[in-house]
Amino acid sequence: PPPHTGAPPSLQQPPAKRLCCRPGYNPACRQGQRAGGVLCGGPGSAPGGSGKTHNPESLLDIAARRVAEKWPFQRVEERFERIPEPVQRRIVYWSFPRSEKEICMYSSFNAGGEESGTSGENHEETQLPFLRGVTLLEGGWVDNVLQVGFHLSGTVTDPATSSQPEIICSVSVSFDRCKITAVTCSCGNKDIFYCAHVVALALYRVRKPDQVKLHLPISETLFQMSRDQLQKFVQYLISVHHTEVLPTAQKLADEILSTNSEINQVHGAPDPTAGASVDDENCWHLDEEQVQEQVKLFLSQGGYHGSGKQLNLLFSKVREMLRMRDSNGARMLTLITEQFMADPRLALWRQQGTTMTDKYRQLWDELGALWMCIVLNPHCKTEQKCWWLKQLRRWNSVDVCPWEDGNHGNDLPNLTHSLPQGAHELRPHRTVFTRAIEACDLHWQDRHLQHIIASGLYANYCYHDNQDGSLFDTRGWPMWHEHVPTACARVDALRSHGYPREALRLAIAVVNTLRRQQQRQLEHFRRHKKELLHKGITSITNMEGWVGHPLDPIGTLFSTLTETGRGAEEGANTCLDLSVQRLLGEGESYVALAVETALIGLGQQRVMPDGLYAQEKVCRNEEQLLAKLQEVELDDMLVKIFRKQAVFLLESGPYSGHGEIVHRESVPMHTFTRYLFTSLLPHDAELAYKIALRAMRLPVLESTASSGDLSRPHHMVSVVPNRYPRWFTLTHIESQQCELASTMLTAAKGDSRKLETVLESIQKNIHSSSHIFKLGQDAFKIATLMDSLPDITLLKVSLELGLQVMRITLSTLNWRRREMVRWLVTCATEVGVYALDSIMQSWFTLFTPTEATSIVATTVMSNTTIVRLHLDCHQQENLASSARTLALQCAMKDPQNCALSALTLCEKDHIAFETAYQIVLDAAATGMSYTQLFTIARYMEHRGYPMRAYKLATLAMAHLNLSYNQDTHPAINDVLWACALSHSLGKNELAAVIPLVVKSVKCATVLSDILRRCTLTTPGLVSALHSRRNSGKLMSLDKAPLRQLLDATIGAYINTTHSRLTHISPRHYSEFIEFLGKTRETFLMAQDGHIQFTQFIDNLKQIYKGKKKLMMLVRERFG
C-alpha cells in the first residue's frame, strides 16, 4: 500500500510506523489464501532454520533474505502491486535479527558477555541483562510467543526467589531489516540496556524460529475479511478488553461517522505490525532518555561510587557500536556529549579558576578521541559529516568547553611553541573538539591512500626512493606521508569502524614511513655532524611530541600491529591475510614492527608541553607504552631491533632524545632508557651503558640554555624563574633519573670501571640531595647483601655519594639531615677505619659543629663501632685522638652547642679535657647563655668538680634576669641549685653568690625560697666533710651575707604587691590575700619585721582606700 501521512492529532496514535490500506481491494483476488497462522519454520522455511537439514536454499529464501536485510517493507509493497502471501511470509520471517551479537551489545556492557559470564564466577557479570535473559530462555520461562508481521510478542516469567514472588512480564518487540527498532516490557525497566525479558524473547525467536507462530501483518488479515467478519472481529475485541478499549473504540466510532472529521480525510489506517516506511531510519532501538539520565547521574556523582568506570564503559559501548558499524554509536556519543557539556561543574571550575580532576580530564580526552573516530569514518555521508561538524562547532564555541591542554582557568605562559615568539598570544585555545573539527576537512579520496587500504599486494618494486616525498620505500613498499598523529587517527578510525585489515595495511605504511624518515635523519646528521656539533645547535623537529599526544599515535600503531596483526598471523590462511603478511620483511612479525614503532616514538626528541595536565599525560602515556612493551618477550629478532634503535638514538643528533646535544626543554629520556638498559644489558652491555649514561642528563636544571640555541632568546634565562611553575612534573622526572642511576649501579656491581663511570654521571647530572642520598643508600644495600662479601668498590661509591650529599645540604635546611649524617657514619664504618678518620679530618666541609660532635665523634667512639671495626688498642687510641681533636675544634667554633659534647668526649684525656674547660670559660663572658652554662656547671658537679661547677654557675648568674612576675621561669631550678651548691661549699662562696642573686632575681617567691633554704642548714657541708671543722652554727639573718638577701626579698614583696594592685580585679582578691600572707612570713624573719609589716599594711590601706572591698578583706585578715 502507498504511504499516507497526517495521523489525526485529536487521537493518541497507536505505536505504528505507517498507515496501511488496500485501494480498489477485490475480495476475489486472494481466494483460498487464509490468514490462519503457520509455523515460521513450516513449509518453505529456510534450511538451517531448525539446524536439521542441509538442502540448498531455495531461490525464494535467498531473495527474501536479501530484501529483508536492505528494503523497507513499504518499498516492496510499492514496487509490486500484488505480493504472493508465501513471499510476504519469507520476507517477514527473514526480517528478524539472526545474530545474537547485536542483542548482546544492547543488553550488556561487555561485548561477548555470554562467554565471560557463563562460569558464574563473577556476580556482576551474571547480573547483566543478556546473561539473565539467556538463563530465563534456557530455564523455559518464555511462553505464548507470537509473531504478527514485524511485531513479536510473548510472556516471560521471572521465577520466584526468597525475596520476591514470581512475576509474569508481557513483552513486545518491533523489528525492521534485521534490527530491533522498539521494545516494551511490563517490568518497567529503566535502563540504557534492554531488560532480561526482552533478551529472552528475542533469543527465543533467534534460536527457535520453528517454534514461533508467524502471521502476516494484521492489516493483511483484515483485508481478507468481509464486512460481517470485520464487525464480529471488532465486537469480540471490545468484549474481551472492554474496560481498556471501550472509551477509545467509542471515540474512534464517533470520528469515523463524522463526515468532516480528520480521520476521514486520511487514506488508510495505522498498523503496528506492518514494518517500516521508506522514510524511517533503520537503526536499533536506543532509549535516548535513559542514556541522558544515566550520564547525568554518573557525572553528578563526581567520580565516586564507580561512576568514572561506568562512563568509561559507556565510551567502550560507543566504540563497540562503531566497530559493528551501528549508526547508534554517533547518536549515543552525541547524547553523552550533550550531558558532559551541561555539567554544572564546568562553569564552577571556570569561575573559580580551578582545574578539573585527572580522571574527569581523561573522560573528556576520550570524548574528543571518539569524535575524531566518528568524523573520520571512511564511508560516512557528506550530510552526516556536515551535521556532526555543526554540532562540534556549537560545543566548541561554548565558553566552558574544556581546553585540550588542560589549562582551563589556569593560564600559563606558552614558552615554547612552533609559532614565532609572541605569536602564541594570538593563538586561540584549542578545545577537546578542535581536532575533530579539523578532521572534518580530511577525506579518503587520495588514490595512493585508497590503494594502500584496498590491497596488501600494492607495491612498486621498480620504484627508486630518492626524495623526501617518495610514495614507496627502497623495498618498493608503500609509504604514507602525513602529519603522524593525523595518519594514526586514520588508522584508529579504520579499526574503530570495523575495518581491521585496512587499518593494519595503513599502519604498516605509516611505520615504513617512520623508519625511512629515521634513516634519512641519521644520514643528514652524519653529513652535517661537525658543523652542527661545533655550533652546539639542537632543534626540536616536532614541537608536538607523539608520546603524550591527545591522539596517542604511537599507542594506536602499537595496538593495531599487536592486536589486529596477531589475529592476521593466527588466521593467515586467507588470500587477504597473506597479502598483508607480504608487507613484512624477512623474519619480521607484527609484534616486532610494533616494538620498533614504540622505540621510535619513545626516543623522539620533543618539547615538554605547557601545563600540568599535558605534562602528566606525557609521563602517563610513556608508562602505558612501556607497560605494553614489557609484556613482549624478547627473542633474537627483537634484540636486533633494540640494538638497531639504540644506535639510531645515539647517532641521530637533534632528531633523537638521546642525541649528543638536546634542547634544554626537551622531554627527558630516563624512564624509557631504564627499560632500554635492562633489555639490552644481557645482550650488549657496552651499548646499554652507553645509552643509559647519555640519558642521565637533565638540561632544564642547568643554569642556561645551549649557547647555540639563538633561535629562542627567551630561553637564555636563569633556571630559577623558568624552572617553576613550568615543569610541574619535575619531581617525578628527577625520581626517574634517580631510578635509572640506581639500575645502573646495581648492574655495575663488581665492575670498578663501570661503577666509576656511573658515579661520575650521577655527580654531574643529579642535582637533588634526596635522590643522591637514595642512590647512596641503594648502593650501600647492594654492596652489603647478606649472601655475599661486601663489595668494597660499590661501598666506596656509596660513601662518595654520601659525602656529596653532606656538602650539598651543609648550608641548606633539610629535615632528613640527621638521618643522612648517621647513615654516612655507618657507611664510612663499613668502608673502614681510614674512611672514618678521613671524614673527621675534613669535618668542617661536611658537618656542622653540632653534628660533628653529637653524632659523628660520639658514634666513632662508641663500643659498637670499635667492635664492628675489630680495632686493636693502638688503632682505638688513634681514632679517639682524631675524635677529641674534632671535638675541640667544634667547641672553639661553636661553644654554645658543642662545649658539653667536647667535654664528654675528652673525659679520658686530661689535657684535652682542660682545653675544653678553658674554651668554655673563654666563651662564657660573651658567647654562651645562662642555660648552656648551668647545664655545663651541673655536668662538672656530676663529674666531681664542684669548684668548677660553682665558677660556671656564677658566670651563668651574671647572664640571668628574672622579673617580679616570672615565678614559673625554667631557670628557677638552676638558681636554687647554684645557691645550694654555694651554700654547700662554704660561707665565702655563698657570700659571693648572694649579690649576684640579688642583682639577677627580682621575683619575691624565688628569693624567699632561697632565703629559707639558706637558714635551714649550716654552710660548708662539702668542705666540712673533708676538714671536719664544721662548727654547726646556722647563719644569722642580721649579718652579711643573708641580711642583704632578706632586705632584697622584702623589697621584692613590696614591689610585687604594688604591681599587682595596679591592675587587680575582684576575682583575684582571695589570691592576693594569700600572697600577703606569704609576704608577712618573710617580713617576720627580720627582727623588727612585725612593725615593718604593720606599717606596710597601713600604707596600703591609705594608698588603695578606693578599693573598699579589697581593703576590708585586708583588715579582716591582717588588722
Side-chain angles (χ1 to χ4, degrees), residues 927-939:
M928 296 184 77
S929 68
Y930 62 83
T931 311
Q932 292 159 343
L933 288 168
F934 273 131
T935 306
I936 297 170
R938 283 177 183 263
Y939 162 79

PDB file of all heavy atoms in Angstrom, residues 927-939:
ATOM      1  N   GLY A 927      79.767  34.543  74.573  1.00  0.00           N
ATOM      2  CA  GLY A 927      79.064  33.721  73.574  1.00  0.00           C
ATOM      3  C   GLY A 927      78.087  32.706  74.098  1.00  0.00           C
ATOM      4  O   GLY A 927      77.451  32.018  73.308  1.00  0.00           O
ATOM      5  N   MET A 928      77.948  32.546  75.446  1.00  0.00           N
ATOM      6  CA  MET A 928      77.101  31.465  75.929  1.00  0.00           C
ATOM      7  C   MET A 928      75.964  31.984  76.789  1.00  0.00           C
ATOM      8  O   MET A 928      76.112  32.951  77.535  1.00  0.00           O
ATOM      9  CB  MET A 928      77.941  30.454  76.722  1.00  0.00           C
ATOM     10  CG  MET A 928      78.991  29.776  75.846  1.00  0.00           C
ATOM     11  SD  MET A 928      79.934  28.512  76.685  1.00  0.00           S
ATOM     12  CE  MET A 928      78.788  27.173  76.714  1.00  0.00           C
ATOM     13  N   SER A 929      74.824  31.296  76.720  1.00  0.00           N
ATOM     14  CA  SER A 929      73.651  31.699  77.508  1.00  0.00           C
ATOM     15  C   SER A 929      73.718  31.060  78.889  1.00  0.00           C
ATOM     16  O   SER A 929      74.471  30.097  79.113  1.00  0.00           O
ATOM     17  CB  SER A 929      72.374  31.244  76.794  1.00  0.00           C
ATOM     18  OG  SER A 929      72.298  29.830  76.824  1.00  0.00           O
ATOM     19  N   TYR A 930      72.902  31.598  79.807  1.00  0.00           N
ATOM     20  CA  TYR A 930      72.895  31.045  81.167  1.00  0.00           C
ATOM     21  C   TYR A 930      72.436  29.583  81.172  1.00  0.00           C
ATOM     22  O   TYR A 930      72.902  28.775  81.953  1.00  0.00           O
ATOM     23  CB  TYR A 930      72.029  31.901  82.102  1.00  0.00           C
ATOM     24  CG  TYR A 930      70.568  31.981  81.716  1.00  0.00           C
ATOM     25  CD1 TYR A 930      69.682  30.978  82.085  1.00  0.00           C
ATOM     26  CD2 TYR A 930      70.070  33.073  81.007  1.00  0.00           C
ATOM     27  CE1 TYR A 930      68.347  31.044  81.737  1.00  0.00           C
ATOM     28  CE2 TYR A 930      68.742  33.154  80.652  1.00  0.00           C
ATOM     29  CZ  TYR A 930      67.870  32.132  81.019  1.00  0.00           C
ATOM     30  OH  TYR A 930      66.561  32.193  80.686  1.00  0.00           O
ATOM     31  N   THR A 931      71.517  29.209  80.260  1.00  0.00           N
ATOM     32  CA  THR A 931      71.039  27.817  80.187  1.00  0.00           C
ATOM     33  C   THR A 931      72.200  26.872  79.883  1.00  0.00           C
ATOM     34  O   THR A 931      72.367  25.832  80.534  1.00  0.00           O
ATOM     35  CB  THR A 931      69.958  27.685  79.085  1.00  0.00           C
ATOM     36  OG1 THR A 931      69.009  28.716  79.258  1.00  0.00           O
ATOM     37  CG2 THR A 931      69.280  26.337  79.146  1.00  0.00           C
ATOM     38  N   GLN A 932      72.997  27.234  78.841  1.00  0.00           N
ATOM     39  CA  GLN A 932      74.139  26.400  78.467  1.00  0.00           C
ATOM     40  C   GLN A 932      75.158  26.312  79.608  1.00  0.00           C
ATOM     41  O   GLN A 932      75.674  25.226  79.914  1.00  0.00           O
ATOM     42  CB  GLN A 932      74.796  26.976  77.204  1.00  0.00           C
ATOM     43  CG  GLN A 932      73.912  26.851  75.963  1.00  0.00           C
ATOM     44  CD  GLN A 932      74.296  27.827  74.858  1.00  0.00           C
ATOM     45  OE1 GLN A 932      74.994  28.805  75.101  1.00  0.00           O
ATOM     46  NE2 GLN A 932      73.825  27.549  73.649  1.00  0.00           N
ATOM     47  N   LEU A 933      75.415  27.439  80.245  1.00  0.00           N
ATOM     48  CA  LEU A 933      76.409  27.457  81.335  1.00  0.00           C
ATOM     49  C   LEU A 933      75.917  26.643  82.542  1.00  0.00           C
ATOM     50  O   LEU A 933      76.703  25.908  83.164  1.00  0.00           O
ATOM     51  CB  LEU A 933      76.718  28.897  81.750  1.00  0.00           C
ATOM     52  CG  LEU A 933      77.557  29.689  80.725  1.00  0.00           C
ATOM     53  CD1 LEU A 933      77.559  31.168  81.063  1.00  0.00           C
ATOM     54  CD2 LEU A 933      78.992  29.161  80.670  1.00  0.00           C
ATOM     55  N   PHE A 934      74.648  26.772  82.888  1.00  0.00           N
ATOM     56  CA  PHE A 934      74.111  25.975  84.000  1.00  0.00           C
ATOM     57  C   PHE A 934      74.212  24.479  83.695  1.00  0.00           C
ATOM     58  O   PHE A 934      74.541  23.671  84.564  1.00  0.00           O
ATOM     59  CB  PHE A 934      72.636  26.340  84.253  1.00  0.00           C
ATOM     60  CG  PHE A 934      72.448  27.513  85.188  1.00  0.00           C
ATOM     61  CD1 PHE A 934      71.595  28.572  84.853  1.00  0.00           C
ATOM     62  CD2 PHE A 934      73.109  27.561  86.401  1.00  0.00           C
ATOM     63  CE1 PHE A 934      71.420  29.647  85.711  1.00  0.00           C
ATOM     64  CE2 PHE A 934      72.932  28.638  87.270  1.00  0.00           C
ATOM     65  CZ  PHE A 934      72.089  29.682  86.912  1.00  0.00           C
ATOM     66  N   THR A 935      73.919  24.105  82.420  1.00  0.00           N
ATOM     67  CA  THR A 935      73.994  22.687  82.025  1.00  0.00           C
ATOM     68  C   THR A 935      75.409  22.155  82.206  1.00  0.00           C
ATOM     69  O   THR A 935      75.614  21.061  82.753  1.00  0.00           O
ATOM     70  CB  THR A 935      73.549  22.530  80.553  1.00  0.00           C
ATOM     71  OG1 THR A 935      72.258  23.112  80.385  1.00  0.00           O
ATOM     72  CG2 THR A 935      73.486  21.062  80.148  1.00  0.00           C
ATOM     73  N   ILE A 936      76.399  22.942  81.723  1.00  0.00           N
ATOM     74  CA  ILE A 936      77.792  22.504  81.843  1.00  0.00           C
ATOM     75  C   ILE A 936      78.218  22.500  83.320  1.00  0.00           C
ATOM     76  O   ILE A 936      78.943  21.601  83.774  1.00  0.00           O
ATOM     77  CB  ILE A 936      78.723  23.407  81.007  1.00  0.00           C
ATOM     78  CG1 ILE A 936      78.364  23.295  79.520  1.00  0.00           C
ATOM     79  CG2 ILE A 936      80.190  23.028  81.213  1.00  0.00           C
ATOM     80  CD1 ILE A 936      79.031  24.308  78.622  1.00  0.00           C
ATOM     81  N   ALA A 937      77.728  23.463  84.102  1.00  0.00           N
ATOM     82  CA  ALA A 937      78.051  23.520  85.536  1.00  0.00           C
ATOM     83  C   ALA A 937      77.542  22.270  86.244  1.00  0.00           C
ATOM     84  O   ALA A 937      78.251  21.644  87.050  1.00  0.00           O
ATOM     85  CB  ALA A 937      77.433  24.773  86.145  1.00  0.00           C
ATOM     86  N   ARG A 938      76.307  21.875  85.967  1.00  0.00           N
ATOM     87  CA  ARG A 938      75.747  20.653  86.567  1.00  0.00           C
ATOM     88  C   ARG A 938      76.566  19.426  86.153  1.00  0.00           C
ATOM     89  O   ARG A 938      76.786  18.503  86.948  1.00  0.00           O
ATOM     90  CB  ARG A 938      74.291  20.481  86.130  1.00  0.00           C
ATOM     91  CG  ARG A 938      73.305  21.388  86.874  1.00  0.00           C
ATOM     92  CD  ARG A 938      71.906  21.204  86.310  1.00  0.00           C
ATOM     93  NE  ARG A 938      70.927  22.078  86.919  1.00  0.00           N
ATOM     94  CZ  ARG A 938      70.107  21.728  87.937  1.00  0.00           C
ATOM     95  NH1 ARG A 938      70.215  20.547  88.496  1.00  0.00           N
ATOM     96  NH2 ARG A 938      69.230  22.586  88.401  1.00  0.00           N
ATOM     97  N   TYR A 939      76.989  19.398  84.843  1.00  0.00           N
ATOM     98  CA  TYR A 939      77.844  18.292  84.363  1.00  0.00           C
ATOM     99  C   TYR A 939      79.135  18.230  85.181  1.00  0.00           C
ATOM    100  O   TYR A 939      79.577  17.151  85.619  1.00  0.00           O
ATOM    101  CB  TYR A 939      78.140  18.489  82.867  1.00  0.00           C
ATOM    102  CG  TYR A 939      79.319  17.684  82.363  1.00  0.00           C
ATOM    103  CD1 TYR A 939      79.195  16.326  82.064  1.00  0.00           C
ATOM    104  CD2 TYR A 939      80.572  18.270  82.210  1.00  0.00           C
ATOM    105  CE1 TYR A 939      80.286  15.586  81.620  1.00  0.00           C
ATOM    106  CE2 TYR A 939      81.657  17.549  81.770  1.00  0.00           C
ATOM    107  CZ  TYR A 939      81.513  16.195  81.475  1.00  0.00           C
ATOM    108  OH  TYR A 939      82.605  15.466  81.051  1.00  0.00           O
TER     109      TYR A 939
END
